[in-house]
């Protein structure tokens, strides 16, 4: 039985470099699409919850859910913990630009490591969260926050699902690096 033509299977020894490159691209695009879908799900969930909270609550209104947790509607013009919130408006474009640059870098990283599941789960989560908050900045000039945890007179700064995605993604990124270091360590 004759061997298949090189263009039918780019991994055959007789395949041209272009065929091999196309095969490599195709092998990366499938998992990349899944990671981008995860990031999109996070963006959609984040935006849907922000729309719901914005319609259900007045600004600074609080609804007690648990003895340590309230839903509230707050706006953050700054970054995490209201960093640069008093920036006079320029921070809107600064943080949107940072999110755009981060998104491009993350997309490249996702493409080149598309089969590394833990790393890509981390990166896609960070991407989804960054885009969710960037959309807020572009549409409203601020980020909508609504999850408020507290204990007696101590309050953790309000946050949203995009922030949760970014935090979980960062934790997964740290875990991935720890596991890589352990695997690289001689036995």
């Amino acid at each position: 039985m004759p061997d298949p033509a090189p263009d039918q299977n780019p991994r055959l020894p007789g395949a041209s470099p272009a065929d091999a490159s196309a095969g490599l691209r195709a092998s990366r695009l499938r998992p990349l699409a899944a990671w981008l879908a995860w990031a999109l799900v996070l963006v959609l969930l984040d935006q849907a919850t922000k729309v719901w909270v914005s319609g259900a609550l007045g600004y600074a209104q609080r609804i007690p859910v648990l003895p340590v947790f309230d839903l509230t509607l707050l706006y953050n013009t700054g970054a995490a913990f209201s960093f640069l919130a008093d920036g006079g408006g320029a921070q809107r474009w600064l943080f949107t630009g940072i999110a755009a640059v981060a998104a491009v870098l993350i997309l490249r990283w996702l493409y080149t490591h598309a089969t590394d599941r833990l790393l890509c789960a981390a990166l896609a989560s960070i991407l989804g969260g960054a885009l969710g908050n960037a959309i807020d900045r572009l549409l409203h000039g601020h980020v909508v926050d609504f999850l408020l945890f507290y204990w007696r007179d101590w309050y953790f700064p309000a946050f949203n699902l995009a922030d949760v995605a970014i935090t979980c993604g960062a934790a997964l990124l740290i875990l991935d690096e720890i596991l890589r270091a352990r695997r690289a360590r001689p036995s």
Side-chain angles (χ1 to χ4, degrees):
M1 177 178 235
D3 288 336
D7 61 345
Q8 292 175 334
N9 187 347
R11 296 188 179 161
L12 287 176
S16 72
D19 291 338
S21 177
L24 181 60
R25 276 193 306 277
S27 71
R28 287 182 179 163
L29 290 179
R30 243 176 265 111
L32 176 62
W35 297 121
L36 294 179
W38 173 242
L40 179 61
V41 165
L42 292 173
V43 170
L44 294 175
L45 283 172
D46 174 66
Q47 290 299 301
T49 56
K50 290 172 179 175
V51 166
W52 176 77
V53 167
S54 295
L57 299 175
Y59 183 77
Q61 180 184 353
R62 289 174 57 178
I63 297 177
V65 178
L66 297 171
V68 295
F69 170 66
D70 291 353
L71 288 177
T72 188
L73 176 62
L74 298 173
Y75 304 140
N76 182 0
T77 57
F81 307 109
S82 296
F83 175 68
L84 294 180
D86 297 330
Q91 73 276 20
R92 172 186 187 181
W93 303 111
L94 171 68
F95 295 133
T96 301
I98 289 170
V101 169
V104 169
L105 294 173
I106 289 171
L107 286 170
R108 176 72 180 146
W109 208 353
L110 281 169
Y111 177 75
T112 58
H113 295 84
T115 58
D116 190 344
R117 292 173 47 188
L118 185 57
L119 175 64
C120 288
L123 294 172
S125 297
I126 293 168
L127 177 64
L131 292 177
N133 282 340
I135 289 169
D136 279 12
R137 290 183 200 292
L138 289 172
L139 293 180
H140 312 297
H142 58 260
V143 173
V144 175
D145 288 327
F146 58 92
L147 302 170
L148 181 65
F149 286 88
Y150 56 92
W151 178 252
R152 296 183 181 161
D153 292 334
W154 175 86
Y155 289 85
F156 190 81
F159 56 98
N160 57 49
L161 291 185
D163 298 331
V164 172
I166 292 167
T167 302
C168 289
L172 289 174
L173 205 55
I174 292 167
L175 176 62
D176 180 67
E177 190 55 36
I178 290 169
L179 293 174
R180 281 179 200 276
R182 283 188 178 172
R183 285 190 302 262
R185 190 177 337 152
S187 297

